[in-house]
Amino acid sequence: MYPGSALGEFLRSRRARLSPEELGLSHGVRHRRVAGLRREEVAPLAGVSVGYYTRLEQGQSPNVSDDVLDAIARVLRLDEDEVRHLHRLARVARARERVRPERLRPGIRLMVDSFAGAPAIAVGRRGDILAWNRPAHALLAPHWAFDAEERPNFILMDFLELDFARRLYVDWPGKARDDIAYLQGSLSRFPGDEGVTGLVEELLVRSPEFREMWSEHPVSNCASISRDYRHPEVGVMTLTAELLRTPDDEGQGVTVFQAEPGSPSAERLGRLIELVAARPVPSHRLAGA
């Protein structure tokens, strides 16, 4: 579904956000059926023929050079994250090998458990929470069983458990777009992962909010993000989520949530950790299951 059309969809979305006037071009045609640049306007500015650029958007130029991609990126005024994303999408057609199912390494689980003073999770390439400590459970999904065999997928929660997600995230639309950027990155890095493509297909069917945002093709490296969390017991906290990847993790990473030392958010996070430590380990089932 996604890999074969991703490059064209991404390029079309970036053409649509630019006007001819921004590049010093005249309209040529007074009334345009769609907004943005046309292929025949992008191609000469990038130094390629209109036919070649058209084939590129149609996924028929798997051997496109990095120089051509960089030229197109300059014309479309892509930022650094978008340029990297463009190159990864172009490589998808060259390497479509199947990937192995995810298996959480014991060392990653031990790393998550070692963060006693901060929420921490191990997250997979499709957004599955593969492991979490008790502060992370209390922050992100207290309505799930902490010790359940199956843990939540944070992207599914954000789009299909809307009441909960919109209460938790002060800026839910921003969080939702970051989720989609995370999936975009996984799809470009692991085009043969049927779990990732299957998740996208499920959300396109089940969530109108996802469908609308997906068409915008948000791109971000998602490595360090600060956002506000609204917790019912301790209030609003501004936390920075740092995603730590290892070279051989095949898309897995550890995310640690921290507050600025000495800030009100740090005080509230400390209070949440104290509350968690004073409670027995929760083992209830997902609410409504």
Side-chain angles (χ1 to χ4, degrees):
M1 181 276 305
Y2 175 88
S5 61
L7 181 59
E9 291 178 1
F10 179 66
L11 289 173
R12 286 190 290 274
S13 73
R14 280 3 186 210
R15 280 198 289 116
R17 71 183 184 183
L18 290 174
S19 67
E21 290 83 0
E22 289 179 271
L23 300 185
L25 302 173
S26 61
H27 270 297
V29 177
R30 183 170 298 176
H31 299 291
R32 294 184 174 223
R33 289 183 298 174
V34 294
L37 296 175
R38 294 178 170 181
R39 291 170 176 169
E40 56 265 30
E41 292 168 333
V42 173
L45 292 174
V48 298
S49 69
V50 175
Y52 183 87
Y53 182 83
T54 299
R55 291 192 297 274
L56 180 63
E57 283 201 358
Q58 293 173 344
Q60 299 174 10
S61 298
N63 296 317
V64 58
S65 70
D66 289 344
D67 288 342
V68 168
L69 294 174
D70 287 337
I72 292 171
R74 285 193 295 272
V75 173
L76 298 180
R77 299 185 177 181
L78 304 187
D79 63 28
E80 292 183 6
D81 288 338
E82 291 172 325
V83 172
R84 284 192 290 268
H85 186 65
L86 175 65
H87 280 267
R88 286 196 298 265
L89 290 177
R91 288 195 295 268
V92 165
R94 306 171 194 166
R96 290 288 304 278
E97 72 275 5
R98 293 174 63 85
V99 296
R100 294 178 297 176
E102 286 189 292
R103 295 289 185 271
L104 181 65
R105 297 206 317 267
I108 297 293
R109 187 182 299 277
L110 289 173
M111 184 186 302
V112 169
D113 291 341
S114 71
F115 288 100
I121 61 174
V123 62
R125 52 181 171 255
R126 68 190 297 271
D128 295 318
I129 296 178
L130 305 174
W132 53 7
N133 62 9
R134 291 182 64 194
H137 167 259
L139 173 68
L140 300 174
H143 58 304
W144 279 74
F146 173 73
D147 55 355
E149 183 176 345
E150 180 181 358
R151 291 185 176 85
N153 176 289
F154 71 81
I155 300 175
L156 284 175
M157 278 202 306
D158 289 348
F159 283 98
L160 301 185
E161 298 182 39
L162 282 177
D163 288 343
F164 173 79
R166 284 175 168 152
R167 286 195 304 269
L168 176 61
Y169 302 108
V170 174
D171 178 17
W172 177 84
K175 175 59 165 65
R177 287 185 172 84
D178 287 340
D179 289 349
I180 291 178
Y182 186 92
L183 274 183
Q184 295 271 12
S186 290
L187 283 166
S188 62
R189 293 174 63 202
F190 305 100
D193 190 315
E194 295 179 355
V196 179
T197 56
L199 178 64
V200 173
E201 290 169 346
E202 177 183 358
L203 285 166
L204 286 171
V205 171
R206 299 181 63 188
S207 171
E209 293 84 0
F210 183 88
R211 283 197 301 274
E212 180 180 354
M213 292 183 182
W214 181 260
S215 66
E216 300 170 7
H217 288 265
V219 174
S220 170
N221 62 20
C222 302
S224 178
I225 297 175
S226 180
R227 73 175 86 256
D228 293 336
Y229 298 79
R230 187 187 294 109
H231 195 275
E233 294 180 286
V234 299
V236 175
M237 298 177 287
T238 301
L239 303 179
T240 298
E242 295 287 345
L243 177 61
L244 313 174
R245 295 192 185 275
T246 57
D248 57 348
D249 63 4
E250 296 185 343
Q252 294 178 8
V254 173
T255 299
V256 182
F257 301 82
Q258 303 172 88
E260 183 69 26
S263 67
S265 293
E267 180 182 351
R268 291 167 187 162
L269 179 58
R271 195 183 316 150
L272 177 62
I273 292 170
E274 290 175 359
L275 289 172
V276 169
R279 295 171 182 160
V281 176
S283 60
H284 56 282
R285 291 289 179 184
L286 176 63

